[in-house]
Amino acid sequence: MTDTQQTDIVQQVTERFVKEFGEQPSIIVRAPGRVNLIGEHTDYNDGFVMPMAINRSVVIALRPRTDRHVNIISLDFDQPITFALDGLTKEKASPTEYVKGVAWALQEDGYELSGFEGVMKGDVPIGSGLSSSAALEMAAVRAFLACIDADWQPAKFALLGQKVENKWMGVNSGIMDQMISAAGVADHAVMIDCRSLEIETLRVPPRTAVLILDTSTRRGLVDSAYNERRQQCEDAAEFFDVPALRDVTVEMFNEKAEGLDPLIRQRARHIVTENARVLEARDAMLKDDAAWLGRLMDESHVSLRDDYEVSSEALNAIVDITRKQPGVYGARMTGAGFGGCAVALVDAETVESIVAPIAAEYKEQTGLDASIYVTEAAEGAEIIKS
Ligand code: GLA
């Protein structure tokens, strides 16, 4: 973890910790957000995704307590995160609920937790589709485990984080976000088989940069649309008589899809072709072929826009504007959709020079201010100090 911005956050939480508790924190943990290069909405179909952990994360500096209280000062939120580990009950969604949900899931799994106190700060923009909540969950898991010296197992605790989302927060999400936050590898994208949870690390093609383009729109109504898509995918899997759409190849789809309801067919076509694109993206990356990978990202966007219908005007605008710039291999919306961020693969030499023109044209077209930045592939959840 050498990134200057991340070092800065570690310094800020450490300084506040010292001020508050009169000594150095005994433990510091960090867990990253993510950007998905390709493989969108495939995770809950047991399919393939290709995200990378980013150099934006949640950092917690802490010391264990001898009692069962958790008390975290947040440098981002007005309210501290405080609760007792006994008799946990769900309350209205707030940052506290994520940490409480993690405590609940770990205790359900038999862990005997101790309380802790500390200071937390994050720089994953909230609601932008870069998985700030998975980052908070994985940082909380690492914090609780570090206090009791328990082993870290990325896939196991990614599943536990997903359980927090599904059962505690009531959000029906897949496994991608927690898995990449837990298992990210610096300088690499990670292909995840969302059925077996096997991972393969792959290098982003040399001399390219990954650009995140935040439309500054935040997704509305995303939960209901997300659940509706999940249901449509399950209906399609039933039609093909398979456990999940992951089991449907493009050939099988072409042979049988005629019989499907047109809307369900459209949704299934996105999943089936997107899974094939991720596998092809792997080949492109093994060959260091940026143009090929970029083409697949472009195709993914079209499929998400037209077949899966989870893009938005702002996302389409920023993707179209980006594609016109010199040195851009490909661009697409990333994450659940309906707002948030796009991602582009760009020639490393031209990347800095296209940021201002994209922002200007986007502002002219939409009246909105985009934030655009290059990201490095970062390490997954880790203990920085213990
Ligand atoms: C959200 C969910 C993920 C995944 C993506 C879409 O980020 O949390 O599980 O389904 O949307 O690819």
Side-chain angles (χ1 to χ4, degrees):
M1 204 225 44
T2 51
D3 190 82
T4 37
Q5 192 177 341
Q6 300 289 289
T7 313
D8 198 44
I9 295 189
V10 173
Q11 235 162 34
Q12 286 179 48
V13 293
T14 306
E15 270 165 28
R16 179 66 184 269
F17 187 98
V18 172
K19 202 166 139 210
E20 211 63 46
F21 302 103
E23 62 174 1
Q24 292 289 326
S26 51
I27 298 168
I28 304 177
V29 296
R30 153 196 174 275
R34 62 104 185 90
V35 66
N36 190 17
L37 294 180
I38 193 159
E40 217 64 83
H41 288 274
T42 43
D43 63 348
Y44 52 82
N45 290 290
D46 279 2
F48 301 98
V49 293
M50 181 85 77
M52 61 191 224
I54 58 175
N55 51 358
R56 292 186 169 236
S57 53
V58 171
V59 176
I60 311 175
L62 64 129
R63 67 178 183 194
R65 284 172 65 114
T66 46
D67 64 11
R68 309 244 315 141
H69 280 88
V70 175
N71 191 357
I72 312 170
I73 297 161
S74 162
L75 301 186
D76 307 308
F77 310 116
D78 296 340
Q79 297 296 321
I81 291 175
T82 81
F83 60 92
L85 288 166
D86 300 302
L88 294 173
T89 51
K90 287 185 216 171
E91 278 157 64
K92 209 172 103 259
S94 75
T96 303
E97 289 308 296
Y98 288 98
V99 182
K100 220 200 248 179
V102 165
W104 162 77
L106 283 167
Q107 295 189 128
E108 282 254 299
D109 213 46
Y111 286 89
E112 285 187 24
L113 301 181
S114 84
F116 67 85
E117 57 202 355
V119 179
M120 171 182 110
K121 180 170 177 59
D123 63 347
V124 189
I126 293 173
S128 65
L130 299 178
S131 296
S132 58
S133 58
L136 176 52
E137 287 154 12
M138 290 302 107
V141 172
R142 291 234 69 159
F144 279 117
L145 293 180
C147 288
I148 57 170
D149 245 338
D151 281 350
W152 167 249
Q153 300 159 51
K156 169 175 172 171
F157 293 111
L159 285 166
L160 187 133
Q162 187 193 13
K163 179 171 162 188
V164 174
E165 286 286 348
N166 297 170
K167 301 268 161 56
W168 195 266
M169 304 307 296
V171 178
N172 211 4
S173 52
I175 189 63
M176 168 169 68
D177 306 345
Q178 288 76 18
M179 192 63 195
I180 186 64
S181 182
V185 178
D187 301 326
H188 289 77
V190 179
M191 185 167 105
I192 304 168
D193 177 334
C194 296
R195 176 171 277 165
S196 67
L197 297 189
E198 271 167 35
I199 63 173
E200 180 179 354
T201 53
L202 292 154
R203 268 190 192 279
V204 178
R207 296 176 299 283
T208 63
V210 174
L211 195 62
I212 293 179
L213 305 114
D214 189 340
T215 59
S216 82
T217 58
R218 295 295 176 251
R219 43 189 207 208
L221 286 179
V222 68
D223 285 354
S224 55
Y226 190 90
N227 290 339
E228 186 188 74
R229 297 298 182 285
R230 283 193 77 136
Q231 186 57 51
Q232 290 166 334
C233 290
E234 280 169 30
D235 293 350
E238 201 174 307
F239 170 85
F240 286 102
D241 200 20
V242 291
L245 282 181
R246 138 75 176 270
D247 302 300
V248 179
T249 60
V250 175
E251 292 71 35
M252 282 162 73
F253 179 84
N254 289 338
E255 221 164 83
K256 252 189 110 179
E258 274 294 289
L260 262 175
D261 163 83
L263 186 63
I264 309 288
R265 181 166 65 222
Q266 222 176 287
R267 303 294 190 245
R269 184 166 53 208
H270 166 69
I271 302 301
V272 170
T273 57
E274 184 78 350
N275 271 325
R277 277 187 289 272
V278 180
L279 295 174
E280 215 182 307
R282 171 181 180 272
D283 293 340
M285 289 170 93
L286 288 173
K287 293 211 160 90
D288 286 340
D289 192 331
W292 186 7
L293 179 58
R295 249 185 343 262
L296 293 164
M297 291 169 75
D298 285 350
E299 283 169 25
S300 167
H301 184 77
V302 171
S303 178
L304 287 157
R305 185 191 66 196
D306 298 346
D307 272 348
Y308 217 58
E309 295 181 288
V310 291
S311 191
S312 69
E313 263 179 48
L315 282 166
N316 293 337
I318 214 157
V319 164
D320 290 344
I321 294 165
T322 302
R323 278 194 197 145
K324 291 190 306 198
Q325 308 300 318
V328 173
Y329 293 110
R332 58 183 287 276
M333 55 151 278
T334 185
F338 300 101
C341 291
V343 60
L345 185 71
V346 185
D347 188 314
E349 280 193 4
T350 50
V351 70
E352 290 302 339
S353 67
I354 67 172
V355 170
I358 297 172
E361 194 175 338
Y362 179 71
K363 172 94 179 176
E364 200 183 293
Q365 264 188 37
T366 62
L368 298 167
D369 292 304
S371 347
I372 305 175
Y373 43 88
V374 172
T375 190
E376 307 289 330
E379 195 66 21
E382 60 186 339
I383 297 177
I384 300 176
K385 177 189 172 185
S386 75

